[in-house]
Amino acid sequence: MPTVAHPAPPPAVRIAEEVHAAVADGRPVLALESTILSHGLPRPRNLEVGLAAEAEVRAAGVVPATIGVVEGRPVIGLSHSELERLCTADGVVKASVRDLPIARAKGLDAGTTVAATAWLAHRAGIRVMSTGGLGGVHRGAATSFDESADLPVLAETPITLVSAGVKSILDVAATLERLETLNVPVVGYRTLRFPGFTISDSGFTLDYRVDSPSEAAALARARDELGQTAAVLIANPVAPEHQLDPGLHDRVLAEALAAAEAEGVTGHDTTPFLLERFQRATSGRSLEANLALYRANVALGAEIARALA
Ligand code: PSU
Ligand code: MN
């Protein structure tokens, strides 16, 4: 069976022994990002969520590899105390790919975004990762040029990513167009409706769906057999009973976007600002939806990792 060539891990990276052994033996591993913990969820829930995700992955017979940066060193498979540190310490930054050299040179702690996590996971030989909602093209990007590095990194990183679509704070239509331009296959999981992060349906449709972990794994293998090097995006909608009320979602989104504009929030602060604003304005209901969709994506990612192993 053809497999993707994984570049050798960069010398600065530390891979946990358990993860290294599982990758070497061809056992299933699921990569998890840490920006969702350090910058996307409030304390102390963030640590509980990070630990629960790892426990769930283990219960599915898969080795979890939460990825982050500790004192400048990218770690694939954070220890309990390292995870705790990224969830609780002051001065933890948000690292995309371009921030990794800066974090390293300055010895910073960092949560890694989807972009940085996927980039590192691929170099550690990991084939599947889960997140909440992918980054993408921000509203107003035509003038601000604010497009998450998640997109160009996925274009050149042959990993399978499970997410509840892209964050609804984004310009979803433009993000779908960019994913097409970047040659990233996008399929719905048991649906042709593109998910809207904390709401089940973004209002946009997809051309293709997969209905099982083995179908998702077959898609990743097909990509590999063609020698293509983009990620495959498995868009897994939040269960309707866990979604945020769509009317409430739309109202709060309008308020949050106006607040960001009024307060002059830009760049990498935009996503954490809008997510936090959402959590407060919905009295935590968007947080519950975010946690439900994240749990579901972790569970599905683990099943796909098993199907691919
Ligand atoms: N999904 C969530 N919460 C988050 C994120 C994703 O449910 O906090 C993070 C991811 O790490 C993603 C990042 O890569 O937001 C995108 O940020 P930006 O738009 O600045 O690239
Ligand atoms: Mn940005």
Side-chain angles (χ1 to χ4, degrees):
M1 182 186 71
T3 48
V4 215
H6 289 271
V13 170
R14 194 185 87 223
I15 304 180
E17 188 45 49
E18 184 192 20
V19 173
H20 182 82
V23 168
D25 298 350
R27 284 182 284 119
V29 178
L30 180 67
L32 300 170
E33 57 140 329
S34 49
T35 290
I36 187 173
L37 305 176
S38 61
H39 289 75
L41 300 172
R43 304 170 182 190
R45 286 298 277 286
N46 58 350
L47 178 59
E48 293 164 23
V49 170
L51 293 172
E54 291 196 348
E56 177 153 7
V57 171
R58 274 184 210 289
V62 175
V63 173
T66 306
I67 294 177
V69 176
V70 179
E71 290 181 320
R73 169 166 287 240
V75 180
I76 318 281
L78 293 164
S79 69
H80 185 122
S81 64
E82 289 168 335
L83 192 65
E84 190 167 346
R85 177 171 167 142
L86 295 188
C87 287
T88 58
D90 293 326
V92 176
V93 301
K94 169 179 166 183
S96 187
V97 173
R98 67 128 180 212
D99 303 299
L100 294 174
I102 296 172
R104 172 141 188 86
K106 294 183 176 293
L108 302 176
D109 292 337
T112 48
T113 63
V114 169
T117 305
W119 190 90
L120 288 163
H122 174 56
R123 279 156 184 79
I126 301 173
R127 302 167 76 189
V128 187
M129 88 175 254
S130 290
T131 183
L134 180 63
V137 181
H138 283 264
R139 290 158 199 250
T143 48
S144 71
F145 280 69
D146 190 353
E147 172 182 337
S148 176
D150 288 358
L151 298 188
V153 171
L154 290 185
E156 53 187 39
T157 306
I159 200 160
T160 297
L161 176 68
V162 181
S163 85
V166 301
K167 283 187 286 276
S168 56
I169 57 176
L170 301 168
D171 183 335
V172 178
T175 304
L176 284 169
E177 291 296 342
R178 287 290 291 149
L179 286 164
E180 179 184 354
T181 304
L182 294 168
N183 303 312
V184 176
V186 182
V187 296
Y189 191 73
R190 297 181 177 161
T191 182
L192 284 174
R193 309 292 306 175
F194 189 60
F197 189 46
T198 54
I199 51 178
S200 307
D201 182 350
S202 69
F204 294 88
T205 52
L206 294 166
D207 292 329
Y208 300 100
R209 57 189 271 172
V210 294
D211 291 317
S212 65
S214 63
E215 257 196 273
L219 175 56
R221 282 198 200 98
R223 180 263 327 267
D224 298 345
E225 287 163 6
L226 287 162
Q228 291 192 0
T229 52
V232 164
L233 180 60
I234 311 293
N236 187 30
V238 64
E241 65 270 26
H242 293 309
Q243 77 170 342
L244 191 59
D245 173 70
L248 175 64
H249 172 273
D250 294 353
R251 274 198 306 285
V252 171
L253 179 57
E255 285 162 22
L257 291 167
E261 166 120 40
E263 294 181 34
V265 179
T266 57
H268 63 17
D269 294 333
T270 305
T271 296
F273 176 90
L274 292 173
L275 291 178
E276 198 272 334
R277 191 86 194 190
F278 239 93
Q279 287 161 15
R280 267 192 296 142
T282 62
S283 317
R285 272 174 286 175
S286 80
L287 175 61
E288 294 312 317
N290 197 349
L291 296 180
L293 70 88
Y294 184 60
R295 265 198 306 277
N297 293 345
V298 168
L300 179 56
E303 289 186 75
I304 295 171
R306 281 175 62 116
L308 261 180

